[in-house]
Amino acid sequence: MLKSTGIPTQKDLETVVPSKERLAKGPVAIMECFEKIPCNPCYTSCKRGAIKEFEDINDRPQLNVDICNGCGVCISNCPGLAIFVVDETYSETEALVKIPYEFSPLPEEGTYVTGLDREGKPVCRAKVVKVQNSKAQDRTPVVAIAVPKELSMVVRCLSLDDYYSDNTIVCRCEEVTLGEIREYIRKGYQTIEEIKRISRCGMGPCQGRTCSQLILEEIAKATGQDVADLKVHTYRQPTLPIKLGLLVGGEDDE
Ligand code: SF4
Ligand code: SF4
């Protein structure tokens, strides 16, 4: 498959993916370089000496995962766009994936893009955490995106299109689409409270547990704010769905 499509098989990947134990320790490079080619900038650019010295210029890179700290310097020096850095310790639910990116324009930090797998299929929505674009002419820009942790070894490219279309249902309780939310924001409803009142998002049985974050991200995107700076909506009891019997005092509340 690699020879005909350029896409590595699971067996190929098993030779370069570090152990779970190493991934749990922090960022590390994944050298997805499977062909014997006359090339070695990964080795010469790694000042930590994490890549074994090439005996032959056609050698494949051999990474010492215990020396590599995932700095990503080798990513921008690799002409084959074959190196990625994965940090599975980024957050409880997300991994940070550093990707070489040679398309123009570059994504902007703080925006959302679509994470693509090795075949170019969209697999998730991803936040652009950092964009590194060295002034040196022969360096590849590196984009760091936050992806769901279970996709850390799946996402290897990105598209600037948003993963969610206008038809995506944002609020399942009240059946409100992302297109409707975008329209409200365009009309000037730019806080979550305003959108809740005009659309009823967040007033259904789930009390906004699904839609709030998505709406906040849309407001942030449309208004150029950081999602962390936006006010969340007011949460009222009960914060979890409970049986009516509990409310009338018939059951013990654990
Ligand atoms: S990520 Fe940094 S430490 Fe690891 S191989 Fe690349 S340059 Fe070396
Ligand atoms: S620089 Fe990139 S393409 Fe060249 S040998 Fe190293 S990993 Fe492979």
Side-chain angles (χ1 to χ4, degrees):
M1 185 157 175
L2 183 67
K3 292 261 184 248
S4 56
T5 64
I7 301 164
T9 61
Q10 201 51 40
K11 219 169 157 194
D12 296 322
L13 292 171
E14 279 164 17
T15 64
V16 295
V17 172
S19 67
K20 276 197 176 107
E21 291 71 29
R22 172 60 189 88
L23 288 166
K25 286 182 185 164
V28 64
I30 318 284
M31 321 287 292
E32 299 193 14
C33 178
F34 300 102
E35 297 289 343
K36 291 191 163 204
I37 49 172
C39 178
N40 74 351
C42 51
Y43 162 66
T44 54
S45 65
C46 179
K47 302 303 173 215
R48 287 181 69 84
I51 297 168
K52 194 176 158 207
E53 187 174 356
F54 284 33
E55 283 170 17
D56 183 302
I57 187 73
N58 293 298
D59 283 350
R60 284 180 54 199
Q62 302 295 318
L63 178 71
N64 184 329
V65 293
D66 296 322
I67 298 176
C68 173
N69 67 353
C71 68
V73 169
C74 53
I75 300 179
S76 54
N77 283 276
C78 167
L81 312 190
I83 308 176
F84 306 86
V85 164
V86 167
D87 180 5
E88 291 201 347
T89 63
Y90 176 66
S91 84
E92 223 167 90
T93 54
E94 291 176 313
L96 195 73
V97 181
K98 291 184 184 174
I99 293 174
Y101 190 81
E102 287 193 336
F103 296 100
S104 182
L106 288 168
E108 284 178 30
E109 288 178 11
T111 60
Y112 286 85
V113 294
T114 295
L116 308 175
D117 67 10
R118 293 179 183 81
E119 294 179 42
K121 287 190 199 138
V123 287
C124 66
R125 193 185 210 203
K127 185 172 183 179
V128 179
V129 176
K130 197 160 183 53
V131 178
Q132 286 172 284
N133 188 12
S134 163
K135 289 200 169 52
Q137 271 188 343
D138 56 347
R139 299 287 181 273
T140 298
V142 178
V143 180
I145 56 174
V147 306
K149 205 173 268 196
E150 64 276 15
L151 296 178
S152 68
M153 292 300 159
V154 174
V155 176
R156 287 296 178 266
C157 195
L158 62 96
S159 141
L160 297 190
D161 298 334
D162 197 326
Y163 186 59
Y164 298 133
S165 75
D166 278 355
N167 295 329
T168 305
I169 299 279
V170 171
C171 170
R172 293 194 192 105
C173 307
E174 301 293 332
E175 293 191 3
V176 182
T177 65
L178 189 58
E180 289 172 71
I181 299 297
R182 287 172 174 162
E183 188 54 29
Y184 287 132
I185 296 172
R186 269 195 291 274
K187 284 180 178 167
Y189 300 93
Q190 296 188 345
T191 68
I192 190 122
E193 282 297 336
E194 288 170 336
I195 290 180
K196 178 177 161 183
R197 282 171 171 71
I198 189 81
S199 69
R200 293 192 54 79
C201 274
M203 292 187 180
C206 92
Q207 286 288 290
R209 276 200 303 283
T210 315
C211 61
S212 315
Q213 191 56 32
L214 291 171
I215 295 170
L216 286 170
E217 286 169 8
E218 278 306 308
I219 296 172
K221 198 165 63 170
T223 60
Q225 300 177 77
D226 193 314
V227 74
D229 296 334
L230 297 176
K231 212 171 159 203
V232 296
H233 74 75
T234 312
Y235 289 94
R236 294 194 173 81
Q237 304 275 11
T239 53
L240 292 171
I242 55 170
K243 291 180 188 167
L244 284 174
L246 186 64
L247 284 178
V248 295
E251 287 183 29
D252 199 14
D253 179 7
E254 287 297 320

